[in-house]
Amino acid sequence: MINSQKWLSTNFFAFFFTWGVFLPFWTGWLTTEKGLSVSHASLIMGAGMLARAISTFVLFPAATKIFSLRVVMMWTAFLSLLVMALYIPANTFVSLLLITIAFNFVYPNLLPAMESSASVLIQNEQIHYGKSRSFGSIGYTVGLLLIGAVVAIWSEQAILWVMLAGLAFMWVSHTRPAPVSLTVKHKSIDGENRKSNFKRLLSSKPFVTVLILAILLQGAHASYYNFGYIYLQDLGVNSLYIGLVLNVAVLLEILFFTRADKLFANTKVSTMFLIAGIGSTIRWVLIYLFPNVWVFNISQLLHAASFGVAHYAFIQYISRSLSPSDIPAAQGMYAAFAFSLSTAILTLAGGYLYEIHPGAAFLGMTLCSIPSIVIVLLTRKKFSY
């Protein structure tokens, strides 16, 4: 019999290992190994995120109507590996742009697929989300530490090879047997189609409010994810230690997720979003006001609030409030808008601000975090979320 908790933990680890390589290091890899400027690399990454938004919003929910979550994850992992290999010979701006768009059209669908799997298993088998999600954070940590070590030894060229190895491991992991609830298609209520899932969700004011909060708070990490590595290089931090510095955030994230199920068992979703908004605002202001590695490290402690609490709040809302048939559509919108579209737009804006002043790229993210606080305060009693 398959241990669903262990299955989810293993696959969270596998995915977030690659996410820990791609998300923080890819802009730096494009600038160092492919010779692109920060603005050109930001343009490529921004275009990739736009492709990610379209794909996770349209392709992922559509695929789950045809195939089971297990099949979607298995083939997505395999195609991601194939597309990633195309980076090896690519050297021109156009070829790197096209490959990045193609990769982001496939690979990021694994994120809503994993989160949808978690939501289904929460409802069907009462697994502990925080416990398994913490293994994702551990995978992210391992990815960061490994990159820091291999770059110190073999330079930035090693980033691509670690990414390829991680994708291969993830594909193999998804070929193994999965929990039964993930091997069947979840039909919509009364035979409704994908469009009606979206329509039903978007007609729910509490869901739309929660989605907007998630978009603002996750999008506010755009500069951190895309320019954190470069920012630390500009501060003179050795490549070996950059991985350690970035890992401070993930270690707090791991600690949070291991305790989240108990800490927030009786906490309202709106309260969680309020905590995330305040933590996010303080984090970006600190980096702007004090441009040194020690304050950057201190700001990393707030990642558990700015990312962890915001993410946990959204997952808890859909797990408590939505039917299994609506979860893929909700996750698709979350991935498309919170992790892709908003991040794409803010990455382009952040790239422009970074070339004016590195700290301004981080301060600009408060234009998302501060409104999130206002929205929570204005809506929490009205919608009771």
Side-chain angles (χ1 to χ4, degrees):
M1 185 177 178
I2 297 170
N3 184 320
S4 297
Q5 190 83 56
K6 183 178 180 180
W7 182 93
L8 188 63
S9 299
T10 300
N11 284 288
F12 262 134
F13 178 92
F15 171 76
F16 279 99
F17 173 86
T18 62
W19 199 241
V21 177
F22 185 72
L23 202 61
F25 294 108
W26 214 250
T27 302
W29 180 77
L30 288 171
T31 58
T32 55
E33 285 303 300
K34 300 300 181 179
L36 299 179
S37 65
V38 172
S39 59
H40 280 172
S42 298
L43 180 61
I44 286 178
M45 294 301 288
M49 289 175 204
L50 288 174
R52 183 196 306 176
I54 295 170
S55 181
T56 51
F57 183 66
V58 178
L59 183 61
F60 171 69
T64 58
K65 296 298 178 182
I66 303 172
F67 306 105
S68 67
L69 281 169
R70 177 181 181 267
V71 170
V72 170
M73 288 185 285
M74 183 172 61
W75 280 101
T76 301
F78 178 68
L79 291 174
S80 299
L81 177 60
L82 290 183
V83 177
M84 176 56 62
L86 297 177
Y87 274 113
I88 297 173
N91 284 301
T92 66
F93 174 83
V94 174
S95 63
L96 291 168
L97 174 64
L98 293 176
I99 293 169
T100 301
I101 290 173
F103 184 71
N104 278 275
F105 199 75
V106 180
Y107 168 71
N109 285 290
L110 287 162
L111 181 57
M114 284 302 308
E115 296 292 359
S116 293
S117 298
S119 294
V120 170
L121 292 174
I122 289 171
Q123 292 185 339
N124 286 276
E125 302 183 34
Q126 291 74 52
I127 61 99
H128 297 287
Y129 175 79
K131 181 178 180 180
S132 287
R133 182 57 181 77
S134 68
F135 278 85
S137 299
I138 292 171
Y140 195 92
T141 298
V142 173
L144 287 175
L145 289 175
L146 185 59
I147 289 298
V150 298
V151 166
I153 299 173
W154 292 295
S155 79
E156 277 78 3
Q157 64 178 331
I159 294 174
L160 174 63
W161 300 106
V162 173
M163 186 67 181
L164 284 167
L167 289 170
F169 171 75
M170 181 168 58
W171 172 56
V172 172
S173 179
H174 282 304
T175 61
R176 301 174 62 204
V180 176
S181 58
L182 304 181
T183 62
V184 297
K185 292 184 291 183
H186 289 279
K187 296 180 180 180
S188 298
I189 300 172
D190 299 325
E192 292 171 320
N193 58 26
R194 178 175 61 91
K195 184 179 292 187
S196 63
N197 289 129
F198 285 125
K199 184 178 180 180
R200 183 167 55 251
L201 289 171
L202 293 176
S203 65
S204 168
K205 291 182 180 179
F207 174 78
V208 171
T209 301
V210 166
L211 181 62
I212 290 172
L213 290 170
I215 290 169
L216 290 171
L217 289 169
Q218 297 302 350
H221 291 81
S223 288
Y224 172 69
Y225 289 145
N226 289 282
F227 310 118
Y229 178 69
I230 299 172
Y231 180 75
L232 290 170
Q233 285 183 319
D234 290 342
L235 290 179
V237 182
N238 184 281
S239 295
L240 177 62
Y241 298 112
I242 288 178
L244 295 174
V245 172
L246 294 176
N247 252 319
V248 173
V250 191
L251 290 174
L252 267 293
E253 183 183 310
I254 294 170
L255 180 61
F256 166 74
F257 281 125
T258 57
R259 306 298 300 173
D261 293 320
K262 292 184 178 180
L263 289 174
F264 292 101
N266 301 308
T267 304
K268 293 179 64 175
V269 169
S270 58
T271 301
M272 294 185 221
F273 276 122
L274 185 60
I275 293 170
I278 294 171
S280 180
T281 301
I282 295 172
R283 184 182 187 184
W284 313 131
V285 170
L286 278 175
I287 295 175
Y288 172 74
L289 292 178
F290 306 99
N292 64 74
V293 68
W294 299 110
V295 174
F296 190 91
N297 262 325
I298 293 172
S299 74
Q300 292 282 77
L301 302 177
L302 292 166
H303 190 73
S306 66
F307 169 77
V309 178
H311 178 70
Y312 187 81
F314 185 84
I315 296 300
Q316 287 303 303
Y317 177 81
I318 65 172
S319 298
R320 295 172 185 176
S321 307
L322 303 185
S323 66
S325 64
D326 284 334
I327 288 174
Q331 286 288 357
M333 283 190 274
Y334 181 46
F337 299 130
F339 286 106
S340 303
L341 187 60
S342 64
T343 307
I345 295 170
L346 291 167
T347 295
L348 294 174
Y352 174 76
L353 290 172
Y354 193 93
E355 294 198 331
I356 296 174
H357 185 278
F362 296 93
L363 183 65
M365 299 301 106
T366 61
L367 293 176
C368 289
S369 61
I370 293 175
S372 73
I373 297 172
V374 176
I375 291 172
V376 171
L377 295 175
L378 292 176
T379 63
R380 64 186 308 187
K381 291 184 179 179
K382 182 178 181 181
F383 299 135
S384 299
Y385 61 94

